[in-house]
């Protein structure tokens, strides 16, 4: 439940920031150059960060499947 509340607070703060900063800005990323609303840029940046965080968290929670074959489970010898 605390995660949902924290997520709602972050979304609320980003929404307020985006509404107050809706001016178009020039974005340059490597060879790309375009103009977009600051609100859209902030929203997409937060969304990408949340997706990357979720992916990293899910990868960290996965159990490694490194079973050794041909060893005795009691002695550890082959």
């Amino acid at each position: 439940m605390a995660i949902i509340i924290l997520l709602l607070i972050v979304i609320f703060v980003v929404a307020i920031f985006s509404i107050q900063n809706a001016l178009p800005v020039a974005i340059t990323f490597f060879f790309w150059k375009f103009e977009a609303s600051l609100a859209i840029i902030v929203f997409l940046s937060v969304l990408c960060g949340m997706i990357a965080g979720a992916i990293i968290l899910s990868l960290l929670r996965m159990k490694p499947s490194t079973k050794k074959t041909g060893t005795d489970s009691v002695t550890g010898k082959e």
Side-chain angles (χ1 to χ4, degrees):
M1 185 68 175
I3 294 174
I4 294 173
I5 293 172
L6 182 64
L7 183 64
L8 289 174
I9 290 171
V10 169
I11 290 172
F12 182 72
V13 169
V14 169
I16 290 174
F17 180 82
S18 297
I19 290 170
Q20 292 179 349
N21 296 290
L23 299 174
V25 293
I27 304 297
T28 304
F29 184 71
F30 293 117
F31 303 109
W32 298 332
K33 187 173 184 179
F34 59 94
E35 284 193 18
S37 170
L38 184 60
I40 293 171
I41 301 302
V42 169
F43 174 73
L44 291 176
S45 297
V46 170
L47 184 65
C48 288
M50 292 172 73
I51 291 171
I55 290 171
I56 291 171
L57 186 62
S58 67
L59 290 174
L60 290 175
R61 288 188 177 180
M62 288 177 48
K63 293 183 180 179
S65 59
T66 56
K67 290 185 178 181
K68 294 182 179 179
T69 57
T71 59
D72 187 12
S73 63
V74 177
T75 62
K77 296 181 181 178
E78 290 185 19

